[in-house]
Amino acid sequence: SVSAMVSAASVVLTTAGPFALYGTPVVKACVEHGTHYVDITGETPWVRELIDRFHDEAAANATRIVPFCGYDSVPSDIGVWMMVDHIRRTWDEGTALVRGAFAMPGAGMNGGTLASALNMSSMKQTKRLLDPVLLNPAEARTAELRVANPDPRGTVYDHDLKRWLCPFVMGTVNTRVVRRSHALLSAEGRGYGDDFRYEEWHDAGTRRRAIAGTGLLASAALMLSNPLSRSAIRLLGPKPGEGPSEEKQARGYVRTRYVARTDSGRVVQGKMEFKGDAGNQLTVLMLCESALALATQLPELPARGGVLTPATALDGVLLQRMREAGVTWAVPS
């Protein structure tokens, strides 16, 4: 039935997770039939398996398999692409560093998101989750790159943003996606910079909130690592299909600030803003605009296939579609 559905489509978009449990047959059918694919997964170990199994075949038949097309990880991946593109067009320079700072007072967690997190924890995927170059091609998964791209720890004061920052809950997903984009483009001679690095933080604002955020993230990781606490979370938390009300979603907002440093040391800032909930309203918008780009603007998209990222599959086309749909993306001059 999956094969029959996929064979009749030009693009498949899916929100049915945990993707490690339900997603692989859909991707397999898409690659076999040459049908483009987008989803909203944040399950990096599963995407690593897709890369190993399907990337070469999808690249050979120009099929775009594009995970991470929701809040994980479009703001990170397309935001970095926007900053790098601005620097190239303005100064004809490479980019040495981009730092993303995320604020997302949302409406609450969806049951599907929680189920995916619990599934990854129960499958003992922590070691893979913590690999900073997990999604990179083989030639870009070196020990040197792992050392050069550590995950943030503790709290820092950002003098460019004049804000206190702490580790971001989705940073261990989004940074891997951005690094895959850079690695895939580098293989074509179009990488972001010779020594490009990307960091991702939560914009806590004050030092007190940054310390509290660091402690909360550590506590959540500890609870997910314990079978007994996972059982309690599964029992008491929202179930797949459950989530916050539309009223609560409408009260949410999303703000991402980007600080980029060029190879010569210039500093430039950018932003992404949206009025609404990140995990529901913004995710749905980004997923649908990604699918519509593949369905209606294929000749304008990069001519590459494989297990790709939003930036390598959709780049400026998706950026423009989201601007037209009401998301603010800007690099003030």
Side-chain angles (χ1 to χ4, degrees), residues 13-198:
L13 71 161
T14 174
T15 62
F19 289 88
L21 298 181
Y22 307 120
T24 303
V26 183
V27 173
K28 181 176 184 292
C30 284
V31 174
E32 290 174 348
H33 291 288
T35 300
H36 306 304
Y37 168 97
V38 294
D39 71 26
I40 58 169
T41 192
E43 299 167 48
T44 49
W46 175 67
V47 175
R48 179 69 251 175
E49 295 175 7
L50 296 186
I51 294 167
D52 294 339
R53 288 186 59 181
F54 301 118
H55 176 74
D56 290 344
E57 184 180 353
N61 66 12
T63 302
R64 280 85 160 175
I65 304 298
V66 197
F68 308 112
C69 285
Y71 190 65
D72 312 323
S73 300
V74 168
S76 307
D77 204 33
I78 295 296
V80 169
W81 184 92
M82 175 183 71
M83 300 303 292
V84 171
D85 180 65
H86 174 84
I87 288 168
R88 278 185 177 148
R89 288 186 293 101
T90 306
W91 297 297
D92 193 26
E93 282 196 64
T95 302
L97 170 71
V98 177
R99 183 182 303 114
F102 288 68
M104 45 165 285
M109 181 174 287
N110 289 320
T113 300
L114 181 60
S116 293
L118 290 168
N119 184 66
M120 282 191 289
S121 299
S122 65
M123 293 174 68
K124 299 181 179 179
Q125 298 280 13
T126 302
K127 185 176 181 180
R128 302 188 84 190
L129 284 166
L130 295 179
D131 181 354
V133 291
L134 175 65
L135 300 182
N136 281 17
E139 64 274 12
R141 298 182 71 194
T142 64
E144 292 79 9
L145 283 172
R146 288 186 173 91
V147 171
N149 292 279
D151 289 323
R153 293 185 178 182
T155 63
V156 299
Y157 182 75
D158 189 293
H159 292 277
D160 295 308
L161 297 174
K162 296 178 173 55
R163 308 279 290 180
W164 279 93
L165 310 177
C166 64
F168 182 48
V169 64
M170 298 312 301
T172 53
V173 175
N174 299 331
T175 53
R176 282 58 166 162
V177 178
V178 172
R179 289 176 195 137
R180 177 165 178 79
S181 295
H182 169 57
L184 290 175
L185 292 170
S186 294
E188 301 176 3
R190 301 171 61 193
Y192 294 159
D194 292 340
D195 298 306
F196 171 79
R197 291 188 299 115
Y198 175 61

Side-chain angles (χ1 to χ4, degrees), residues 105-107 245-254 275-277 281:
S245 67
E246 291 188 18
E247 291 77 15
K248 288 184 178 179
Q249 292 178 35
R251 291 198 293 268
Y253 76 88
V254 180
K275 181 65 175 70
D277 183 63
Q281 294 171 329

